[in-house]
Structures are given as C-alpha cells and as structure tokens.
Amino acid sequence: MNYIETKIYTSSFGIEHTLNMLSEMGIEDAVIEDPSDIEDLMDKKNSYDWDYVDASVIEQVNEEPAVILYMEDSQEGQNKVQAVQEAVSRLRERMAQGEFGHGASFGRMEVEARLVKDEDWKDNWKEFFKPTKITDRIVVKPTWETYEKKSQEELIIEIDPGMAFGTGTHETTTLCIKLLEKYTEKKDAVLDVGCGSGILSIAAALLGIRNILGVDIDPIAVEVSKENVQLNGFSDVVRIQYGDLTKGIDYKADVVVANLMADLVMMLSCDVARHLTGKGIFISSGILIEKQQQVMEAIRKNGFEIEEVLEQGEWCAIAARLKRG
C-alpha cells in the first residue's frame, strides 16, 4: 500500500497550534519533528540524557520544525490532504493578522505532500528512538533495542509506539511521570486520559500502582497501548479501553493524568472532577509555558487548587487538587 506523506513546516512555537488545528479536524495521529528537542539533548540539560547520539540524529538540529501526517493513497486520503492544506492556509492568515500575539511566528506554514511506499516510511523512524532515561529512575526502551540497567533503582518501560503518538521521550511525558512519582501511592487508582502508546499507564504500574485505567479516542492508540501493557507484564493491573472522558466513562480515580494539549486540558477540566475520589489529584501536561496561566485559570475555575507546576524546555505540567466542601 502507498501512503501520502503530508509535511506541515512550522516553528517550535507553531507546533501546538498546528496540532490543535488538526485535532479540530479529527486528525490525532501525527509525527512531530522539532530540532529544539535535539538541541536540549546536546546541551545535556538533564544529567540522564543520552550518552550516545547517532550522527544522523545530530543532523536534525538544522532541520525545520514540522508536523507530519500519513494518509492512505485513496480518494479519501487525497481529500484529507486538501482539507489540511486549506486549514493551514487559514491558520497562516490568522497568524498574519496578529491573532496569536504581536511577533508570533509559526514559520512558513507550508504543506508538502508526496507519495511513499509502506516499506519506505513504516520503520525508518525507529533508528532515531534509542533507550532514554527520562527521569532519575525510569528508562524508556524501544522493543528493538537492548539495554542493561545501570543500577537496581532503574525502572524499565519497554515500548513500541506503533502508529500511536508517544515514544515517551518528550518533555511533557517526563514532567507527568515526575508528578506521578510525587503524588501517587501504591493504593491509589489512576486514570490515564488520552493514553496514546500507554506510557503513563505503564509508568504508574512500575511505581507499584495496581488499579489503572487508560482511555483514548483513537482505536489504533488503544490497540498499541494494550500491546505495550502486555509487553511489560501489567495486563493484570492496567486496563485500556476506547473512550472519551466526557462520554460513557464512569471510572473514579485518586489521580487523573492527562498529557494532551492546552485547549484539551482546559476542556477536560470541566469534567474531570466527577471522576476523582480520595485525594483528588489532577495532573495535566502538553501545555506550552505561554499558556500556563490560561490553563491554571480554567483548572481553578472548575474547583481545583494548584499544588505545583513543573517546567522543562517550552513545556509545563500542572498538579492540582480538587477542593472539597
């Protein structure tokens, strides 16, 4: 089967806005190419970053940020590509009109589409995904790589992201796991909203939690998450299911974690309280620092008090507690 690779050239600042635009179109599966991630790696901002970086990865530092989609080479796929091109054009116009602030730049906001064969793209990205220590204790290891523990304290997440978003190495994942480490106990129930490849659900299980539910509105993400949960040996403590927190999910948890995007977190904050019990902790990320205050305001408005905010790179994560009474 052939696919249409659709590449939207933007800026690091424009990535979230581009993803928001795609989400509004019902498109959730995207690959993000952001050279700033490689720059952070090379600057060794964290003591646990890679000790070895392949030369082909280093070359990406000079590349332009982009969001990449893959559509089937069919009439439906071609129609989607055209719709994306039109949506990008409208977003570019809104940027030019100053809607996102004076001096805000989304880069050139141009779309390139080309046909690729299945075997040309399906596995090429794997060469850039290496074992990565994302917190003081947790290492994310792709299934096709070998890794030996550096200490007994290390916890290993083995993962194959497949077509689902989330290799687990993004700043927002690290921030969420750090907050899970701090705010969860083994007796807690955890709800992972928008579980993607299952990384946060698996991390919670590694931390000793034995009652975890991951939900996602993408059927592919649900299947990939289930496979990764099974791969890590946690099928008995982690359930993954298709679902939208605002519809048909009656699970209650001590901790809800949502690594989404700022707009989705704000929307979710309206409903999350009714899914919380016990300590009532809401952990959210996928939030650019520039939107931190806006998201915090929405969370407070819906009955929470802010416990803590962590920042890394351009991103932040928020831990909030539901106010009682």
Side-chain angles (χ1 to χ4, degrees):
M1 179 182 292
N2 290 337
Y3 290 84
I4 307 171
E5 181 188 73
T6 306
K7 199 166 188 176
I8 306 169
Y9 290 98
T10 181
S11 64
S12 294
F13 174 78
I15 286 174
E16 186 190 23
H17 297 284
T18 302
L19 292 174
N20 282 340
M21 174 201 74
L22 294 172
S23 180
E24 290 170 359
M25 299 173 66
I27 300 173
E28 301 291 346
D29 297 321
V31 177
I32 299 170
E33 286 187 354
D34 188 357
S36 65
D37 291 341
I38 307 298
E39 290 178 356
D40 287 349
L41 186 68
M42 298 307 297
D43 289 342
K44 300 292 282 186
K45 290 189 175 180
N46 297 310
S47 60
Y48 42 76
D49 280 330
W50 301 348
D51 292 321
Y52 167 76
V53 184
D54 190 89
S56 57
V57 177
I58 297 173
E59 291 174 2
Q60 293 182 74
V61 171
N62 298 318
E63 293 182 3
E64 193 173 359
V67 176
I68 306 172
L69 312 170
Y70 290 95
M71 322 278 198
E72 287 188 7
D73 183 22
S74 62
Q75 187 60 54
E76 181 182 0
Q78 293 168 9
N79 291 341
K80 280 187 177 181
V81 171
Q82 183 176 350
V84 167
Q85 290 171 327
E86 293 170 355
V88 168
S89 179
R90 291 193 295 270
L91 188 59
R92 186 170 57 239
E93 290 175 2
R94 291 167 60 195
M95 178 196 69
Q97 292 167 1
E99 184 174 328
F100 302 96
H102 178 71
S105 174
F106 291 1
R108 57 188 173 108
M109 288 301 288
E110 293 184 3
V111 181
E112 288 183 0
R114 68 183 183 100
L115 280 179
V116 293
K117 293 181 179 179
D118 186 27
E119 59 268 24
D120 290 339
W121 72 270
K122 191 173 182 181
D123 293 323
N124 285 353
W125 63 274
K126 290 184 176 180
E127 65 183 283
F128 303 117
F129 182 18
K130 303 292 182 181
T132 309
K133 195 168 185 181
I134 61 172
T135 73
D136 290 335
R137 287 195 291 167
I138 292 181
V139 175
V140 176
K141 183 190 86 66
T143 55
W144 54 91
E145 292 282 339
T146 58
Y147 180 81
E148 293 185 9
K149 281 188 176 184
K150 302 298 188 294
S151 70
Q152 288 300 315
E153 288 72 34
E154 282 190 347
L155 303 173
I156 311 297
I157 298 176
E158 192 159 347
I159 193 166
D160 186 344
M163 292 180 67
F165 176 80
T167 62
T169 58
H170 195 270
E171 291 99 326
T172 58
T173 307
T174 297
L175 294 172
C176 282
I177 292 176
K178 285 181 176 179
L179 291 174
L180 281 172
E181 288 176 328
K182 181 170 182 178
Y183 288 96
T184 59
E185 302 170 83
K186 291 182 179 180
K187 64 181 178 59
D188 289 339
V190 171
L191 174 58
D192 177 9
V193 182
C195 58
S197 55
I199 188 83
L200 296 179
S201 293
I202 296 167
L206 276 175
L207 294 173
I209 297 164
R210 292 295 175 261
N211 184 2
I212 304 158
L213 174 65
V215 298
D216 205 294
I217 61 173
D218 184 345
I220 294 175
V222 169
E223 292 307 310
V224 170
S225 288
K226 286 180 178 179
E227 292 170 4
N228 285 322
V229 167
Q230 183 176 18
L231 179 67
N232 286 271
F234 291 124
S235 296
D236 58 333
V237 297
V238 178
R239 289 187 297 120
I240 303 292
Q241 70 180 64
Y242 176 87
D244 181 341
L245 185 67
T246 63
K247 301 172 186 175
I249 301 294
D250 57 6
Y251 182 83
K252 289 189 179 292
D254 298 275
V255 178
V256 173
V257 59
N259 186 13
L260 300 168
M261 291 180 289
D263 291 348
L264 293 178
V265 169
M266 288 188 286
M267 183 173 66
L268 182 67
S269 65
C270 300
D271 295 291
V272 72
R274 62 189 176 90
H275 294 276
L276 280 168
T277 187
K279 65 178 65 175
I281 294 292
F282 177 32
I283 296 170
S284 58
S285 193
I287 305 161
L288 285 168
I289 289 174
E290 67 198 46
K291 288 198 171 184
Q292 176 181 319
Q293 293 302 322
Q294 185 180 355
V295 176
M296 288 171 60
E297 182 179 344
I299 291 173
R300 288 193 184 102
K301 182 180 178 181
N302 286 287
F304 292 86
E305 56 186 0
I306 305 301
E307 290 282 322
E308 184 176 1
V309 178
L310 297 183
E311 297 181 358
Q312 186 173 329
E314 298 178 341
W315 303 89
C316 70
I318 301 169
R321 190 182 300 271
L322 185 63
K323 291 187 285 188
R324 304 295 186 182

